[in-house]
Structure formats: structure tokens, C-alpha cells
Amino acid sequence: MAEEFQATSTPAITGMKGRCPRCQRGHLFDGLLKLAPRCEVCGLDYGFADPADGPAFFAMSIVAVPALAFALWLQFTYEPRLWMHLLITVPLTLAGSLILLRPLKGWLVCSQYFHKAEQGTIDRDWHAPAAHDGDPD
Ligand SMILES: [Zn+2]
């Protein structure tokens, strides 16, 4: 069944489109930011997906610098009162962050699938080198 799916593109493009990371045809989201339980086309269970607060971190990081630059430009150009910033700068900052959340969440979920990222585990078969006994010889 997997042969009929087209070759995968990049996680960024697939995720920003909100598509399933395996078949790239099903929908990743069930609502604005809520992930669907599984792909309606290929049946991939999205239970592996856990981007946590990654999308929020990246959205804030991307929006913070332009928002601050805008606020400074507005302040030094027009010298508005503080409440003008509350009406202009704060909504612009919030809107910019909210607009980025969905594509960033899709990107991170698809990256988890593409790169097989999962919770860290302890490798019980790993053999540590012999402990140094303190003797230089
Ligand atoms: Zn799918």
C-alpha cells in the first residue's frame, strides 16, 4: 500500500500545508491547532506527534524581533501614548504569532515523523568501556 504514495518532499513543506507526513494527502489537523487522531487517507496514527511548546517558542522567536522593531519605529516616529501601543503593537504581535502556530506545528510534527524522533530511552545493550582504575600504567 505504501508504494502508491508519492515520494516524500520535505517536512517543512508537508507540515506547513497541514498534510499527513506519510502520504501527504490526508489532513494533519482537525481544527485550527488540534491534531487529527489519524490520517483519513493512509490511516497513520498521529499518536507519535508531540511538538509540546515548540511551535509557540519558534513563533515567539520569529515574531519578537520584527514586533520590537515596529514598536520602536512607531514610538520614535510618532511618539504615541502607551495605550496606542496596546491597540496597535500588541494585536499585531499576537496576530503574527497566531498565524505562525499552525504551519510551525505541522512542520514540527512532520519532522518528528520524517526523522523518527521519539522519547529517549536507555540502551540496555550498550557496554561501557572498562572503568579507569586510577593507575597511569
Ligand atoms: Zn496519510
Side-chain angles (χ1 to χ4, degrees), residues 8 12 14-15 17 26 28 30 34 44 46 55-56 59 64 72 100 108 122 129-130 133:
T8 56
T14 305
K17 288 179 178 175
L28 192 58
D30 181 20
K34 182 180 173 218
L44 175 65
Y46 294 147
L72 291 173
L100 288 176
L108 291 178
I122 296 174
D133 60 0

Side-chain angles (χ1 to χ4, degrees), residues 20 22-26 39 41-44 46:
C20 167
R22 184 161 70 186
C23 69
Q24 300 177 13
R25 285 186 284 169
C39 174
V41 175
C42 71
L44 175 65
Y46 294 147

Side-chain angles (χ1 to χ4, degrees), residues 9-95:
S9 62
T10 66
I13 293 171
T14 305
M16 287 182 188
K17 288 179 178 175
R19 295 296 177 179
C20 167
R22 184 161 70 186
C23 69
Q24 300 177 13
R25 285 186 284 169
H27 293 89
L28 192 58
F29 293 99
D30 181 20
L32 180 64
L33 289 172
K34 182 180 173 218
L35 289 175
R38 66 189 47 80
C39 174
E40 77 271 18
V41 175
C42 71
L44 175 65
D45 186 352
Y46 294 147
F48 68 89
D50 182 21
D53 56 357
F57 169 77
F58 285 114
M60 288 186 311
S61 300
I62 292 169
V63 170
V65 172
L68 179 62
F70 174 78
L72 291 173
W73 170 82
L74 185 66
Q75 183 62 39
F76 289 122
T77 305
Y78 298 105
E79 296 182 5
R81 296 185 182 270
L82 181 61
W83 63 268
M84 292 291 283
H85 281 289
L86 294 175
L87 289 180
I88 299 170
T89 308
V90 171
L92 280 176
T93 305
L94 290 175

